């Protein structure tokens, strides 16, 4: 693919292991932004970013991706072993509790969208965040299980596969 030196705006898709691919290039930023909006609407599970990315700089250009989210304890060690530069900080207890709540949403969404072959892994991640959240708030597992059993008695479980279609008030 022959790229004009004037195509300096690029839409980049991030892949696992800090890899990236250039999806498309544009002469004008406005064209790239419009395409990016369409891509983000069409492929919500993919991570696209708009960059000023002159041709020929693919091998030297470093992309800094912002996360600002809770990560597992060994992530810094893993990043160092891969010689990836990173920034990290320890959160206050209040920030940690809020980050755990955000992580619950993130992991639940990933479990909900997982294909069957990845479901066990995503559920394991969700359980890890639930355990950490219970620890942060001083909640014992037996408290949660007792509450679960009471709610099961009061409201039932999900074993009958019922879908509520409508109600009248």
């Amino acid at each position: 693919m022959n790229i004009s030196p004037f195509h300096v705006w690029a839409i980049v898709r991030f892949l696992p292991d800090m890899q990236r691919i250039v999806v498309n290039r544009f002469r004008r930023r406005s064209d790239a932004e419009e395409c990016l909006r369409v891509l983000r609407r069409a492929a919500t599970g993919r991570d696209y970013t708009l960059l000023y990315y002159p041709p020929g700089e693919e091998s030297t250009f470093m992309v800094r991706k912002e996360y600002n989210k809770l990560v597992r304890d060994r992530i810094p060690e893993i990043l160092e072993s891969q010689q990836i530069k990173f920034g990290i900080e320890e959160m206050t207890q209040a920030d940690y509790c809020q980050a755990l709540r955000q992580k619950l949403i993130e992991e639940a969404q990933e479990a909900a969208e997982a294909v069957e072959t990845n479901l066990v892994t995503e559920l394991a991640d969700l359980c890890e965040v639930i355990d950490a959240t219970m620890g942060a708030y001083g909640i014992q597992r037996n408290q949660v299980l007792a509450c679960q059993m009471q709610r099961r008695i009061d409201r039932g479980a999900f074993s009958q596969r019922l879908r509520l279609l409508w109600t009248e008030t």
Side-chain angles (χ1 to χ4, degrees):
M1 178 170 151
N2 194 0
I3 301 168
S4 161
F6 300 110
H7 287 87
V8 294
W9 293 100
I11 295 176
V12 176
R13 179 174 166 218
F14 291 100
L15 303 172
D17 300 325
M18 300 298 290
Q19 296 177 351
R20 61 191 178 274
I21 58 170
V22 175
V23 176
N24 207 342
R25 292 180 172 276
F26 301 88
R27 286 179 179 233
R28 292 188 299 274
R29 180 181 180 137
S30 60
D31 294 342
E33 287 172 341
E34 181 59 31
C35 184
L36 182 61
R37 275 191 290 278
V38 170
L39 280 172
R40 285 182 174 161
R41 260 193 316 258
T44 56
R46 295 194 175 161
D47 190 9
Y48 296 104
T49 301
L50 178 63
L51 298 173
Y52 180 80
Y53 206 13
E57 292 191 19
E58 286 82 359
S59 61
T60 61
F61 191 68
M62 297 304 293
V63 177
R64 183 175 186 163
K65 186 174 177 183
E66 299 292 329
Y67 290 94
N68 197 28
K69 67 177 189 174
L70 179 64
V71 294
R72 289 177 177 261
D73 298 338
R74 291 197 55 225
I75 294 302
E77 175 187 328
I78 293 167
L79 292 173
E80 283 176 0
S81 73
Q82 296 175 356
Q83 298 178 339
I84 296 172
K85 294 180 182 178
F86 63 93
I88 202 153
E89 68 180 3
E90 188 174 331
M91 289 182 253
T92 65
Q93 183 66 19
D95 287 343
Y96 175 58
C97 288
Q98 182 61 37
L100 281 167
R101 289 171 179 249
Q102 291 171 345
K103 196 71 167 178
L104 281 169
I105 295 166
E106 176 188 332
E107 295 299 342
Q109 186 69 37
E110 288 177 9
E113 295 172 355
V115 294
E116 194 170 337
T117 55
N118 295 340
L119 186 56
V120 171
T121 301
E122 296 303 336
L123 289 173
D125 288 345
L126 183 56
C127 286
E128 187 67 34
V129 177
I130 289 170
D131 287 346
T133 304
M134 289 188 307
Y137 286 92
I139 299 169
Q140 299 297 313
R141 179 174 290 280
N142 60 356
Q143 289 176 279
V144 174
L145 293 175
C147 184
Q148 178 185 5
M149 289 306 297
Q150 187 60 51
R151 291 185 63 80
R152 190 175 285 166
I153 291 166
D154 295 344
R155 301 176 68 96
F158 295 99
S159 58
Q160 293 181 25
R161 303 188 315 250
L162 302 175
R163 178 183 304 154
L164 180 63
L165 299 176
W166 55 270
T167 66
E168 286 186 0
T169 55

